[in-house]
């Protein structure tokens, strides 16, 4: 099972413009932050809470141990 978050937004300006690059960097940082918070929340969940969301302790542990750079 993969736990995934997707961000979409309309790109404004030319693809190579400074504004577009900054927007992509901002979104990448935001996605990293959401992923980090989600993984930290998994650590604090009980086995019962994990079952409620359909995730086993082993799946949660695998997700927590993933690299932030190679998701």
């Amino acid at each position: 099972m993969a736990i995934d978050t997707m961000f979409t937004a309309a790109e404004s300006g030319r693809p190579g413009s400074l504004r577009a690059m900054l927007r992509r960097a901002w979104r990448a940082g935001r996605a990293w932050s959401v992923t980090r918070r989600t993984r930290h929340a998994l650590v604090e969940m009980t086995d019962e809470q994990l079952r409620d969301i359909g995730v086993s302790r082993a799946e949660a542990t695998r997700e927590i141990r993933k690299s932030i750079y190679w998701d």
Side-chain angles (χ1 to χ4, degrees), residues 5-27:
T5 307
M6 181 182 284
F7 292 90
T8 60
E11 193 75 45
S12 66
R14 294 174 288 134
S17 71
L18 178 59
R19 177 178 284 173
M21 288 186 285
L22 290 173
R23 193 173 303 241
R24 282 192 302 271
W26 174 260
R27 273 194 244 130

Side-chain angles (χ1 to χ4, degrees), residues 54-70:
V55 177
S56 70
R57 176 61 62 189
E59 290 171 327
T61 301
R62 263 194 315 276
E63 184 65 28
I64 293 161
R65 290 183 177 164
K66 282 184 180 179
S67 168
I68 61 170
Y69 303 107
W70 301 107

